[in-house]
Amino acid sequence: AVAAGGEGLEEEEEWKQRIDEWAKNRKQTKVEATKVQDFESAKRDRSLDDFEERKLYGGAMKLAFPKRFLDMSRIYPIRDNDEAWVDNVSDQSIFIEMFNHKPKLPDNESIIFYTQQVAYSCEALSANITELGVLEQGDLPWLPHYDDKECFYSYAVAEMEIVRGKQETEDPNQRGNLVQVFLVNLRWPHVLTDCVLTFNAPYSWAVKERPFREIPRLKNRQMFFDMIRTMTMEDWSVFVMPNATATSAATDKADAAAAAPAAFSSSVAGGGG
């Protein structure tokens, strides 16, 4: 009788464990199903394409872009001189970076230099600039222009092949995602700053981790120009102005590191920026 009772307890405990495991799996399945449902709903919700003004750098800069982009700094540490926004539904991203102004780098070559740096920093397997241009008053109506501040604004559109995250392997034949990269270089010599905005829009995935929403490339291009047209600077005091001696030393060092770039290669080797 004792033996039988012991076996009964063991069997009851085993069933409890099975039930607990089943409940855990069921809960996890429901959570995953909800995520998929939310993801699919977001793919269909075109109201997320509506522009919304965002306050960047603590409100010093304002820029409007689609609601579907979320502030990456809420989940990941971002440097104070950077802004990072991502859209997990379309796999697109927007980055804004502030660099020391490089006065010895010619204005008309600066956008090529920064496009090259982006390709290097993401270790692009290939990169081709397909479009270059200068931005005028009508393109950036809320920013100072050459007549008063000697500012210079230019843009580039590039096609890059990028391997990232879980895709990375040691396979020399590894293929990457095809990404349309839009850049604008805002040269503000009066505050010793080069501001670079990058909009990344993948359109073909080597390994599709999830069924991303595919947005037409012409629509991405229109979004880029509509977005930068809204940019305003509300507070120029965010730029720290060093003393003359420090400025001269920093400028010389920056210029040495940023010699005029060579012609942009159609096959950019991976490497540091």
Side-chain angles (χ1 to χ4, degrees), residues 1-21:
V2 173
E7 290 176 359
L9 289 173
E10 289 178 2
E11 185 176 348
E12 182 179 354
E13 185 63 30
E14 181 180 349
W15 273 108
K16 282 183 179 180
Q17 290 177 0
R18 289 185 181 182
I19 291 171
D20 288 344
E21 184 177 353

Side-chain angles (χ1 to χ4, degrees), residues 40-225:
E40 292 300 325
S41 297
K43 283 178 65 176
R44 295 190 298 269
D45 187 357
R46 293 301 181 262
S47 69
L48 296 177
D49 288 335
D50 294 343
F51 273 40
E52 181 177 72
E53 185 177 76
R54 315 297 177 94
K55 294 182 179 180
L56 310 177
Y57 298 103
M61 176 187 289
K62 289 183 180 179
L63 184 70
F65 46 87
K67 296 178 181 178
R68 53 190 170 85
F69 287 90
L70 303 177
D71 187 354
M72 196 172 175
S73 67
R74 295 184 177 181
I75 57 175
Y76 192 82
I78 303 296
R79 296 185 306 173
D80 290 342
N81 59 329
D82 294 348
E83 286 280 346
W85 296 74
V86 297
D87 172 25
N88 290 326
V89 173
S90 65
D91 199 26
Q92 295 182 346
S93 56
I94 299 168
F95 295 96
I96 304 175
E97 301 171 274
M98 300 293 181
F99 299 98
N100 291 331
H101 179 61
K102 301 170 178 58
K104 292 184 180 180
L105 178 64
D107 285 339
N108 62 351
E109 295 181 4
S110 61
I111 189 63
I112 299 175
F113 171 80
Y114 284 115
T115 304
Q116 198 172 41
Q117 295 306 298
V118 168
Y120 285 147
S121 66
C122 64
E123 299 184 355
L125 298 179
S126 64
N128 291 300
I129 292 179
T130 59
E131 185 178 347
L132 290 170
V134 175
L135 298 167
E136 306 291 350
Q137 183 78 49
D139 303 309
L140 300 167
W142 312 112
L143 294 178
H145 284 260
Y146 192 88
D147 291 342
D148 52 356
K149 298 292 185 181
E150 296 189 351
C151 302
F152 183 85
Y153 307 130
S154 55
Y155 76 93
V157 182
E159 301 282 342
M160 299 188 189
E161 183 178 358
I162 301 171
V163 177
R164 69 171 197 189
K166 296 179 180 179
Q167 293 175 247
E168 294 181 358
T169 69
E170 295 182 359
D171 182 358
N173 298 316
Q174 171 72 62
R175 295 292 84 193
N177 297 339
L178 301 182
V179 184
Q180 196 173 24
V181 182
F182 301 83
L183 296 97
V184 60
N185 177 210
L186 310 170
R187 308 204 82 190
W188 293 323
H190 61 294
V191 289
L192 306 177
T193 300
D194 284 355
C195 174
V196 177
L197 181 151
T198 307
F199 168 42
N200 302 298
Y203 61 89
S204 178
W205 292 263
V207 178
K208 215 167 187 180
E209 300 171 7
R210 59 198 305 183
F212 295 114
R213 174 189 169 194
E214 298 181 25
I215 300 177
R217 297 168 72 183
L218 285 177
K219 187 173 182 179
N220 290 328
R221 187 180 189 280
Q222 187 61 51
M223 187 206 117
F224 169 70
F225 286 105

Side-chain angles (χ1 to χ4, degrees), residues 30-44:
K30 288 179 67 177
V31 169
E32 291 176 356
T34 300
K35 287 182 178 179
V36 171
Q37 185 177 11
D38 290 344
F39 179 80
E40 292 300 325
S41 297
K43 283 178 65 176
R44 295 190 298 269

